[in-house]
Amino acid sequence: MTTGLTWNLIEDAHQLFSYHFMVNALRAGTIVAVVSGAIGYFMVLRRQSFVGHTLAVIGFPGAAGATWLGVSTGIGYYGFCLAGALVVASLPGGGRADVGPGGHGEESAVVGTVQGFALACGFLFVSLYKGFLSGLNNLLFGTITGVADHQVTILLIAGVTCLLVLAVIARPLLFATVDPDVARAAGVPVRLVSAAFLILLGVAAAGTSQITGSLLVFALLVAPAAAASRLTARPGLGVTLSIAIAVAVTWVGEGIAFFSPYPIGFWVTTLAFAVFLAAAGCRAGADWLARRVSLDVRTAA
Amino acid sequence: MIVTERAPGRPAPPTHTPVIVVDQAEARLGGRAIWSDVSLQIGPGQFVAVLGPNGVGKSTLLKAVLGLLPVSTGQIKVLGGSPGRHNDRIGYLPQRRAFDPTTRIRGIDIVRLGLDGDRWGTPLPAILGGRRARDARERVEEVIGLVGASGYARRPIGQCSGGEQQRLLIAQALIRHPELLVLDEPLDSLDVTNQASVSSLIRDISRTRNVAVLLVAHDVNPILPYLDQVIYLAHGGAVMGPPEQVITADTLSMLYGTPIDVLRDRAGRLVVVGQPDAHAEHRR
């Protein structure tokens, strides 16, 4: 790469946008960040992070197998992640946020076992392909160089569909998440809504894997949402903040990755981690302050 | 069934159709009868407690009323329809339910879900909401004021105390102007002071708004002065009547088929002595 950081931001941005692959990376990254910021908020609220991670890992053998067979990796990611989501949704208790896989007990062990097997299969496919091994790194830890035009189109269609479905089910999904028993009595089809959410989670995980790699999806799926929910307890604001953090982290991460020799997955993850730490710090500070104030009020009274 | 008689000092409710009619119903779970041949009738505005030992099917009775669990024989009518048909006119508070301390959702959001949480879609931001959103917000504030939760409704619900959470959940159950409140052990996780204040809150709502209340209780004493009727479930059957007729040594001994004593302490609290626990196979 004949590029270098000039510290003139306009000059740098100009340099960055003069490469088509970089424009595609930013497009794809933005789509993926918006989707995973929104879906991730509900995933964190439902405590289904483990399932989200598993779906992303299941995408890895899909992508590796697709490479081996010579078809687009996007097909592999989406195919395997969606299939995985359907399987998890059909597990007993898979529809419930609190007792489902990733909650506790035997089922999380089952899901964990499947996750290990998926990783092993992916490695087998990479070996069978006999291609250069950097492919493995890209699948696991992400790349900004590999996003073709048609992939951006697929990401866009999948992302828009995903957000539309989320917009339709958002309110009953929130109800079923925080209060499943009352929601069921009020006529919310809790099982159906939960299964639909798992499928959306599969789509989000598949999309995010294509940017950050299968192992680092949490940078966009969990960290922004976890940071947002520490900053606010309002659901609407929480989703908005989560999306904003995910997009900011992706843009800055891709920008730094362009000018540095280190991979995008590392930068996006590190930035997301930093935002999460800052948010957790703010929360702890605010809670401490609130306790101080309420103590003062009590002593005054 | 014991002939019903109104508690003294309470105005008789207008003689509408009964809110709940249970006619010789039987509930089965996993192929085993939980209770059978149960017949009950609850009128508008009545405050009724469901009592009985653990595992006897008190929550099952509530679920049958809500249509979440069909009865195997007999019939239940709720608000003139089959169970589950008119759940939008019922406020429900399931057993539980302490929110995890890390739950980062405000109490006011939980209350709001009781109003329109079952509708598809996403709520618009407040500025774009228009009149309907304003009405909804006013209704939420009104009902939060009614239960006295205004001081903490904007805190994350996980950080509210058990009593505060219970008040917010009662607000959620009340938000659609229900004609019937179905409450599963709402006093269970509360300290004595909160038990007294939450039960008098429920009593006030029942009186002023003519809301029938069907409340499962572990301990009858905090609500004893307010009760019109009690349903005592035991031994696979049920007895219904005014508390002073049902919670007696004779009635309970007959129900259980073994001698039971009902003692009264100096403060007037009732203690039921000698009741066997439900059979292990009845537990859930």
Side-chain angles (χ1 to χ4, degrees):
Chain A
M1 246 181 264
T2 58
T3 54
L5 194 58
T6 62
W7 291 108
N8 173 349
L9 284 182
I10 296 165
E11 178 59 30
D12 289 340
H14 186 74
Q15 234 188 87
L16 206 142
F17 282 115
S18 62
Y19 289 87
H20 186 63
F21 82 86
M22 203 54 218
V23 175
N24 269 356
L26 280 169
R27 284 179 182 152
T30 309
I31 298 164
V32 160
V34 171
V35 172
S36 55
I39 300 287
Y41 181 81
F42 285 94
M43 182 184 81
V44 167
L45 200 63
R46 295 172 67 77
R47 300 167 203 275
Q48 285 185 321
S49 300
F50 187 56
V51 179
H53 188 237
T54 301
L55 292 178
V57 167
I58 289 174
F60 165 60
T67 314
W68 175 43
L69 297 173
V71 293
S72 162
T73 51
I75 294 170
Y77 277 121
Y78 281 115
F80 271 57
C81 286
L82 279 175
L86 287 172
V87 170
V88 174
S90 65
L91 287 177
R96 283 195 71 150
D98 47 349
V99 298
H104 21 252
E106 181 58 20
E107 277 167 17
S108 67
V110 173
V111 173
T113 310
V114 173
Q115 191 179 38
F117 180 62
L119 270 176
C121 287
F123 192 66
L124 172 73
F125 293 145
V126 170
S127 307
L128 285 172
Y129 176 54
K130 295 193 180 75
F132 47 106
L133 212 66
S134 75
L136 175 63
N137 274 339
N138 290 347
L139 292 180
L140 289 179
F141 301 107
T143 173
I144 48 169
T145 52
V147 189
D149 285 350
H150 76 274
Q151 270 175 292
V152 177
T153 315
I154 295 174
L155 281 173
L156 184 67
I157 294 169
V160 169
T161 315
C162 194
L163 288 178
L164 282 178
V165 174
L166 181 66
V168 171
I169 67 168
R171 188 162 34 201
L173 178 65
L174 185 68
F175 202 1
T177 298
V178 297
D179 224 348
D181 292 329
V182 182
R184 191 173 298 110
V188 174
V190 173
R191 179 99 211 195
L192 178 78
V193 166
S194 306
F197 177 71
L198 279 174
I199 290 167
L200 296 185
L201 187 55
V203 175
T208 311
S209 301
Q210 297 176 44
I211 300 297
T212 62
S214 289
L215 289 186
L216 299 179
V217 285
F218 270 19
L220 294 179
L221 262 177
V222 174
S229 67
R230 269 159 188 74
L231 293 175
T232 177
R234 296 160 170 265
L237 189 61
V239 173
T240 315
L241 258 179
S242 173
I243 292 175
I245 294 171
V247 170
V249 156
T250 308
W251 282 354
V252 176
E254 290 190 335
I256 301 177
F258 178 75
F259 291 108
S260 84
Y262 308 111
I264 176 182
F266 167 72
W267 290 114
V268 172
T269 310
T270 306
L271 288 168
F273 182 60
V275 172
F276 172 76
L277 275 188
C282 284
R283 179 80 268 137
D287 284 349
W288 178 79
L289 215 69
R291 267 200 306 277
R292 278 285 301 262
V293 169
S294 75
L295 267 181
D296 288 351
V297 169
R298 237 172 276 163
T299 17
Chain B
M1 189 180 131
I2 289 171
V3 181
T4 61
E5 196 179 284
R6 297 207 52 76
R10 289 215 35 189
T15 47
H16 287 290
T17 46
V19 176
I20 300 176
V21 181
V22 179
D23 188 18
Q24 297 187 323
E26 179 187 75
R28 291 180 157 272
L29 272 177
R32 215 178 284 277
I34 302 294
W35 35 255
S36 48
D37 200 22
V38 169
S39 297
L40 318 158
Q41 190 161 330
I42 296 171
Q46 281 202 318
F47 194 137
V48 181
V50 183
L51 306 171
N54 279 333
V56 80
K58 301 189 294 278
S59 299
T60 308
L61 177 63
L62 299 196
K63 284 187 179 140
V65 164
L66 290 163
L68 298 175
L69 191 108
V71 287
S72 46
T73 56
Q75 208 191 16
I76 298 185
K77 285 254 177 239
V78 181
L79 297 166
S82 51
R85 181 84 199 281
H86 298 302
N87 277 8
D88 54 336
R89 288 153 63 192
I90 301 175
Y92 173 46
L93 200 142
Q95 196 172 8
R96 94 159 83 135
R97 285 183 313 162
F99 287 92
D100 189 289
T102 58
T103 304
R104 298 277 308 161
I105 289 283
R106 298 176 304 166
I108 192 172
D109 298 314
I110 305 257
V111 174
R112 172 69 191 259
L113 283 171
L115 184 66
D116 56 12
D118 58 328
R119 285 221 320 265
W120 299 106
T122 305
L124 291 168
I127 323 153
L128 305 171
R131 218 189 115 199
R132 202 155 91 174
R134 206 170 54 238
D135 290 349
R137 270 205 309 284
E138 276 167 17
R139 178 68 193 138
V140 170
E141 292 296 344
E142 184 192 339
V143 80
I144 284 174
L146 183 69
V147 300
S150 306
Y152 44 84
R154 280 174 176 75
R155 285 222 303 264
I157 193 143
Q159 287 171 20
C160 294
S161 72
E164 292 169 347
Q165 291 186 11
Q166 210 60 283
R167 279 168 188 271
L168 286 163
L169 290 171
I170 290 171
Q172 185 200 49
L174 282 173
I175 197 162
R176 285 208 259 202
H177 299 288
E179 291 155 63
L180 169 65
L181 276 180
V182 174
L183 312 172
D184 200 346
E185 303 209 356
L187 308 175
D188 211 37
S189 55
L190 306 181
D191 58 41
V192 177
T193 324
N194 270 312
Q195 281 189 348
S197 65
V198 168
S199 38
S200 72
L201 168 71
I202 297 168
R203 187 266 320 255
D204 290 345
I205 291 159
S206 167
R207 268 197 196 171
T208 55
R209 318 210 157 208
N210 203 34
V211 178
V213 176
L214 185 63
L215 181 152
V216 170
H218 207 74
D219 176 15
V220 69
N221 288 301
I223 44 173
L224 191 58
Y226 312 141
L227 289 175
D228 295 309
Q229 305 278 321
V230 299
I231 297 167
Y232 212 105
L233 279 173
H235 226 244
V239 177
M240 181 173 180
E244 63 276 12
Q245 286 181 22
V246 172
I247 313 173
T248 61
D250 291 345
T251 310
L252 293 186
S253 298
M254 204 173 69
L255 183 64
Y256 280 108
T258 55
I260 305 283
D261 278 317
V262 177
L263 310 176
R264 202 177 265 276
D265 73 359
R266 265 178 292 180
R269 284 190 296 263
L270 291 174
V271 185
V272 177
V273 182
Q275 60 179 346
D277 240 357
H279 299 297
E281 66 263 28
H282 281 163
R283 279 173 196 284
R284 267 222 78 187

